[in-house]
Amino acid sequence: MNKPKGTMDQLPREVIKWRHVEEKFREICHRYGFDEIRTPTFEFTSLFKRGVGETTDIVQKEMFTVISDANLRKYHEGKFDLDKRGFTLKPEGTAPVVRSFVENKLYADAQPTKLFYITPCFRNENPQAGRLREFHQVGIETLSAMNPATDAEIIALAKNYFEELGLRDLTIKINSVGCKSCRPVYHEKLKTFLEPRLDQLCETCQGRFHTNPLRILDCKVPTCQAAVKDAPRLIDHLCEDCQTHFSGLKDALDAFGIPFVVDSRIVRGLDYYTKTAFEIISENIGAQATVCGGGRYDGLVEEVGGPETPGVGFGLGIERLILTLEAEGVAFPDPEPTQVFIVVLGEAAKLTGLGILKALRDAGIKSDFDHLERSLKAQMRYADKLSAAYTLILGEEELKSREVTVKHMASSTQESVKIDEIPDYILAHLGGRR
Ligand code: ATP
Ligand code: MG
């Protein structure tokens, strides 16, 4: 049996990297005052239709909608409304957080609400490097704050995170996608520009022309990119409010010491984005270069049924982040080696060995014993494979004298230590390290 296409097993040597990036993220979020939130793996399909947007790639072709076997039978009989009662595996993290913010009335607490998440996401895409069907995101959201400095803080956190992981060669691109008062005017301008060029656009963009023309600007197809090269720019058509916000963002980024470029083609794929949109691009991983994308979504909370509340955040793919770190040759922590391996000869020695093992582990020392009842030589070889710092050899003699030979593997030196004193001896020699 194989795993489904587009999914990944995370074997222990990979999990070390995952834990590293997740722990770093938790630590940075804590420093910036964000608290962790966990939401269900699936939500009502309607949440994503509303919160992500009917015209987005995600809703149109990438969602995994799930149904129980019992409801599947009803569905075939025409008695189950999948649109109303169906569940969808979360394709992104923001809509569920906003749903939870509304459902749990977090807006009634002192504001803003600053949340972070680490979550699996599911999208039915063509699997390739950095593009999976089950992938993982870390992300943050700040709700209830309109301040452009809040947007800058989100970008600052992402940048800080990347830097502390050791990433270089990152470009921060910012844009403003306007709001519901200035965007429709721009849409018309853009459509007027694109109309005579419609036949140069890919099939998807010809559809987007009617549903979501802004998305044409960030299409990766070369003919589309050529067609929009001289298109009017949304940042030249912002209303006063959006203009003020955008210049406030630039000032706040300067104040945080964050270099950025304005790229009028950063639009983000989701309908609910307003004003700030940004991407962080790595120059080193080729086609799937966007490691982090985010922005402001002032219309989303209301869309999901809550009070009018602004929001801003980002989502970042862990798989792509790790690919980027690997491409840049960034070092991950080494697995912690076994500190003590107990070699036992015979049943009585094994039982005494288990007692020593417990004392070592209680003292916080990573230790193990021979589970396979191997010969002395084979046990020593295995201890070597584990890169054990110390080996204890426990035979009949040692049981009688209650003293054990402790061998320091790297120097091949050994000492006799009283059984009761072993944990203290090891701690002292490991420099008290746990
Ligand atoms: P793309 O243009 O690459 O499809 P997107 O606009 O769909 O990206 P978002 O919806 O903004 O991406 O998701 C945020 C981040 O999640 C992306 O920047 C990326 O790091 C990651 N991501 C998105 N889709 C996938 C996927 N299928 N597999 C792995 N990571 C993904
Ligand atoms: Mg996508």
mmCIF file of all heavy atoms in Angstrom, residues 193-213:
data_model
loop_
_atom_site.group_PDB
_atom_site.id
_atom_site.type_symbol
_atom_site.label_atom_id
_atom_site.label_comp_id
_atom_site.label_asym_id
_atom_site.label_seq_id
_atom_site.Cartn_x
_atom_site.Cartn_y
_atom_site.Cartn_z
ATOM 1 N N PHE A 193 -8.754 47.917 -20.398
ATOM 2 C CA PHE A 193 -7.406 47.668 -20.913
ATOM 3 C C PHE A 193 -7.278 46.245 -21.475
ATOM 4 O O PHE A 193 -6.654 46.034 -22.518
ATOM 5 C CB PHE A 193 -6.375 47.885 -19.785
ATOM 6 C CG PHE A 193 -4.982 47.469 -20.156
ATOM 7 C CD1 PHE A 193 -4.127 48.340 -20.829
ATOM 8 C CD2 PHE A 193 -4.508 46.186 -19.850
ATOM 9 C CE1 PHE A 193 -2.836 47.950 -21.178
ATOM 10 C CE2 PHE A 193 -3.221 45.792 -20.200
ATOM 11 C CZ PHE A 193 -2.379 46.679 -20.867
ATOM 12 N N LEU A 194 -7.881 45.274 -20.796
ATOM 13 C CA LEU A 194 -7.673 43.870 -21.173
ATOM 14 C C LEU A 194 -8.549 43.424 -22.338
ATOM 15 O O LEU A 194 -8.184 42.502 -23.074
ATOM 16 C CB LEU A 194 -7.937 42.956 -19.970
ATOM 17 C CG LEU A 194 -6.852 42.970 -18.871
ATOM 18 C CD1 LEU A 194 -7.341 42.181 -17.653
ATOM 19 C CD2 LEU A 194 -5.534 42.386 -19.381
ATOM 20 N N GLU A 195 -9.701 44.077 -22.506
ATOM 21 C CA GLU A 195 -10.671 43.620 -23.501
ATOM 22 C C GLU A 195 -10.043 43.352 -24.879
ATOM 23 O O GLU A 195 -10.215 42.266 -25.423
ATOM 24 C CB GLU A 195 -11.840 44.591 -23.606
ATOM 25 C CG GLU A 195 -13.036 43.966 -24.283
ATOM 26 C CD GLU A 195 -14.341 44.358 -23.601
ATOM 27 O OE1 GLU A 195 -14.430 45.498 -23.089
ATOM 28 O OE2 GLU A 195 -15.248 43.520 -23.580
ATOM 29 N N PRO A 196 -9.278 44.325 -25.422
ATOM 30 C CA PRO A 196 -8.684 44.057 -26.744
ATOM 31 C C PRO A 196 -7.583 42.989 -26.701
ATOM 32 O O PRO A 196 -7.104 42.557 -27.742
ATOM 33 C CB PRO A 196 -8.093 45.419 -27.145
ATOM 34 C CG PRO A 196 -8.092 46.268 -25.940
ATOM 35 C CD PRO A 196 -8.987 45.674 -24.928
ATOM 36 N N ARG A 197 -7.150 42.586 -25.504
ATOM 37 C CA ARG A 197 -6.061 41.600 -25.390
ATOM 38 C C ARG A 197 -6.573 40.241 -24.916
ATOM 39 O O ARG A 197 -5.766 39.357 -24.595
ATOM 40 C CB ARG A 197 -5.027 42.117 -24.376
ATOM 41 C CG ARG A 197 -4.348 43.410 -24.802
ATOM 42 C CD ARG A 197 -3.534 44.007 -23.658
ATOM 43 N NE ARG A 197 -2.749 45.155 -24.106
ATOM 44 C CZ ARG A 197 -3.231 46.383 -24.224
ATOM 45 N NH1 ARG A 197 -4.501 46.638 -23.933
ATOM 46 N NH2 ARG A 197 -2.462 47.375 -24.647
ATOM 47 N N LEU A 198 -7.905 40.097 -24.869
ATOM 48 C CA LEU A 198 -8.499 38.877 -24.309
ATOM 49 C C LEU A 198 -7.943 37.599 -24.922
ATOM 50 O O LEU A 198 -7.680 36.614 -24.230
ATOM 51 C CB LEU A 198 -10.017 38.910 -24.529
ATOM 52 C CG LEU A 198 -10.877 39.225 -23.300
ATOM 53 C CD1 LEU A 198 -12.355 39.081 -23.648
ATOM 54 C CD2 LEU A 198 -10.524 38.315 -22.132
ATOM 55 N N ASP A 199 -7.738 37.624 -26.262
ATOM 56 C CA ASP A 199 -7.296 36.386 -26.924
ATOM 57 C C ASP A 199 -5.838 36.040 -26.609
ATOM 58 O O ASP A 199 -5.381 34.942 -26.904
ATOM 59 C CB ASP A 199 -7.532 36.467 -28.447
ATOM 60 C CG ASP A 199 -6.869 37.698 -29.051
ATOM 61 O OD1 ASP A 199 -6.443 38.575 -28.266
ATOM 62 O OD2 ASP A 199 -6.756 37.777 -30.294
ATOM 63 N N GLN A 200 -5.107 36.955 -25.975
ATOM 64 C CA GLN A 200 -3.730 36.619 -25.563
ATOM 65 C C GLN A 200 -3.703 35.937 -24.189
ATOM 66 O O GLN A 200 -2.660 35.469 -23.743
ATOM 67 C CB GLN A 200 -2.871 37.889 -25.466
ATOM 68 C CG GLN A 200 -2.703 38.613 -26.794
ATOM 69 C CD GLN A 200 -2.152 40.027 -26.582
ATOM 70 O OE1 GLN A 200 -1.326 40.264 -25.708
ATOM 71 N NE2 GLN A 200 -2.621 40.964 -27.379
ATOM 72 N N LEU A 201 -4.851 35.924 -23.497
ATOM 73 C CA LEU A 201 -4.884 35.380 -22.138
ATOM 74 C C LEU A 201 -5.127 33.873 -22.155
ATOM 75 O O LEU A 201 -5.764 33.344 -23.071
ATOM 76 C CB LEU A 201 -5.994 36.050 -21.317
ATOM 77 C CG LEU A 201 -5.897 37.569 -21.146
ATOM 78 C CD1 LEU A 201 -7.068 38.076 -20.318
ATOM 79 C CD2 LEU A 201 -4.574 37.952 -20.490
ATOM 80 N N CYS A 202 -4.619 33.179 -21.133
ATOM 81 C CA CYS A 202 -4.867 31.737 -21.017
ATOM 82 C C CYS A 202 -6.354 31.521 -20.731
ATOM 83 O O CYS A 202 -7.069 32.465 -20.381
ATOM 84 C CB CYS A 202 -4.001 31.128 -19.916
ATOM 85 S SG CYS A 202 -4.500 31.576 -18.236
ATOM 86 N N GLU A 203 -6.779 30.287 -20.855
ATOM 87 C CA GLU A 203 -8.204 29.981 -20.715
ATOM 88 C C GLU A 203 -8.730 30.386 -19.337
ATOM 89 O O GLU A 203 -9.791 30.993 -19.205
ATOM 90 C CB GLU A 203 -8.401 28.473 -20.919
ATOM 91 C CG GLU A 203 -9.743 28.127 -21.526
ATOM 92 C CD GLU A 203 -9.811 26.638 -21.807
ATOM 93 O OE1 GLU A 203 -8.927 26.135 -22.551
ATOM 94 O OE2 GLU A 203 -10.714 25.996 -21.260
ATOM 95 N N THR A 204 -7.916 30.067 -18.285
ATOM 96 C CA THR A 204 -8.324 30.404 -16.916
ATOM 97 C C THR A 204 -8.528 31.912 -16.789
ATOM 98 O O THR A 204 -9.521 32.371 -16.203
ATOM 99 C CB THR A 204 -7.236 29.972 -15.907
ATOM 100 O OG1 THR A 204 -6.774 28.678 -16.293
ATOM 101 C CG2 THR A 204 -7.759 29.935 -14.501
ATOM 102 N N CYS A 205 -7.597 32.678 -17.364
ATOM 103 C CA CYS A 205 -7.698 34.136 -17.223
ATOM 104 C C CYS A 205 -8.861 34.695 -18.034
ATOM 105 O O CYS A 205 -9.425 35.725 -17.656
ATOM 106 C CB CYS A 205 -6.377 34.799 -17.617
ATOM 107 S SG CYS A 205 -5.156 34.663 -16.303
ATOM 108 N N GLN A 206 -9.219 34.025 -19.128
ATOM 109 C CA GLN A 206 -10.387 34.490 -19.876
ATOM 110 C C GLN A 206 -11.628 34.383 -18.996
ATOM 111 O O GLN A 206 -12.504 35.246 -19.027
ATOM 112 C CB GLN A 206 -10.536 33.692 -21.171
ATOM 113 C CG GLN A 206 -9.375 34.004 -22.106
ATOM 114 C CD GLN A 206 -9.576 33.488 -23.523
ATOM 115 O OE1 GLN A 206 -10.620 32.943 -23.859
ATOM 116 N NE2 GLN A 206 -8.549 33.654 -24.337
ATOM 117 N N GLY A 207 -11.670 33.344 -18.172
ATOM 118 C CA GLY A 207 -12.771 33.199 -17.200
ATOM 119 C C GLY A 207 -12.658 34.267 -16.122
ATOM 120 O O GLY A 207 -13.643 34.886 -15.717
ATOM 121 N N ARG A 208 -11.415 34.491 -15.635
ATOM 122 C CA ARG A 208 -11.191 35.481 -14.567
ATOM 123 C C ARG A 208 -11.588 36.886 -15.011
ATOM 124 O O ARG A 208 -11.946 37.724 -14.183
ATOM 125 C CB ARG A 208 -9.713 35.516 -14.178
ATOM 126 C CG ARG A 208 -9.283 34.335 -13.330
ATOM 127 C CD ARG A 208 -7.785 34.370 -13.111
ATOM 128 N NE ARG A 208 -7.350 33.250 -12.300
ATOM 129 C CZ ARG A 208 -6.138 32.716 -12.351
ATOM 130 N NH1 ARG A 208 -5.232 33.222 -13.175
ATOM 131 N NH2 ARG A 208 -5.812 31.699 -11.583
ATOM 132 N N PHE A 209 -11.492 37.135 -16.308
ATOM 133 C CA PHE A 209 -11.843 38.449 -16.837
ATOM 134 C C PHE A 209 -13.241 38.846 -16.353
ATOM 135 O O PHE A 209 -13.496 39.995 -16.025
ATOM 136 C CB PHE A 209 -11.791 38.436 -18.368
ATOM 137 C CG PHE A 209 -12.157 39.744 -18.988
ATOM 138 C CD1 PHE A 209 -11.225 40.774 -19.067
ATOM 139 C CD2 PHE A 209 -13.434 39.969 -19.482
ATOM 140 C CE1 PHE A 209 -11.558 41.999 -19.626
ATOM 141 C CE2 PHE A 209 -13.785 41.185 -20.049
ATOM 142 C CZ PHE A 209 -12.839 42.203 -20.124
ATOM 143 N N HIS A 210 -14.137 37.849 -16.281
ATOM 144 C CA HIS A 210 -15.510 38.147 -15.861
ATOM 145 C C HIS A 210 -15.680 38.058 -14.345
ATOM 146 O O HIS A 210 -16.439 38.819 -13.764
ATOM 147 C CB HIS A 210 -16.485 37.186 -16.550
ATOM 148 C CG HIS A 210 -16.412 37.286 -18.054
ATOM 149 N ND1 HIS A 210 -16.921 38.362 -18.745
ATOM 150 C CD2 HIS A 210 -15.835 36.472 -18.982
ATOM 151 C CE1 HIS A 210 -16.682 38.209 -20.041
ATOM 152 N NE2 HIS A 210 -16.013 37.064 -20.205
ATOM 153 N N THR A 211 -14.966 37.110 -13.697
ATOM 154 C CA THR A 211 -15.243 36.861 -12.281
ATOM 155 C C THR A 211 -14.291 37.588 -11.340
ATOM 156 O O THR A 211 -14.695 38.043 -10.276
ATOM 157 C CB THR A 211 -15.152 35.354 -11.989
ATOM 158 O OG1 THR A 211 -13.842 34.905 -12.393
ATOM 159 C CG2 THR A 211 -16.210 34.575 -12.735
ATOM 160 N N ASN A 212 -13.008 37.652 -11.685
ATOM 161 C CA ASN A 212 -11.997 38.126 -10.736
ATOM 162 C C ASN A 212 -10.799 38.677 -11.517
ATOM 163 O O ASN A 212 -9.706 38.121 -11.489
ATOM 164 C CB ASN A 212 -11.587 36.904 -9.867
ATOM 165 C CG ASN A 212 -10.717 37.298 -8.682
ATOM 166 O OD1 ASN A 212 -10.382 38.463 -8.495
ATOM 167 N ND2 ASN A 212 -10.348 36.320 -7.886
ATOM 168 N N PRO A 213 -11.019 39.815 -12.253
ATOM 169 C CA PRO A 213 -9.996 40.298 -13.188
ATOM 170 C C PRO A 213 -8.643 40.600 -12.533
ATOM 171 O O PRO A 213 -7.602 40.469 -13.163
ATOM 172 C CB PRO A 213 -10.616 41.576 -13.774
ATOM 173 C CG PRO A 213 -11.780 41.908 -12.925
ATOM 174 C CD PRO A 213 -12.225 40.662 -12.267
#
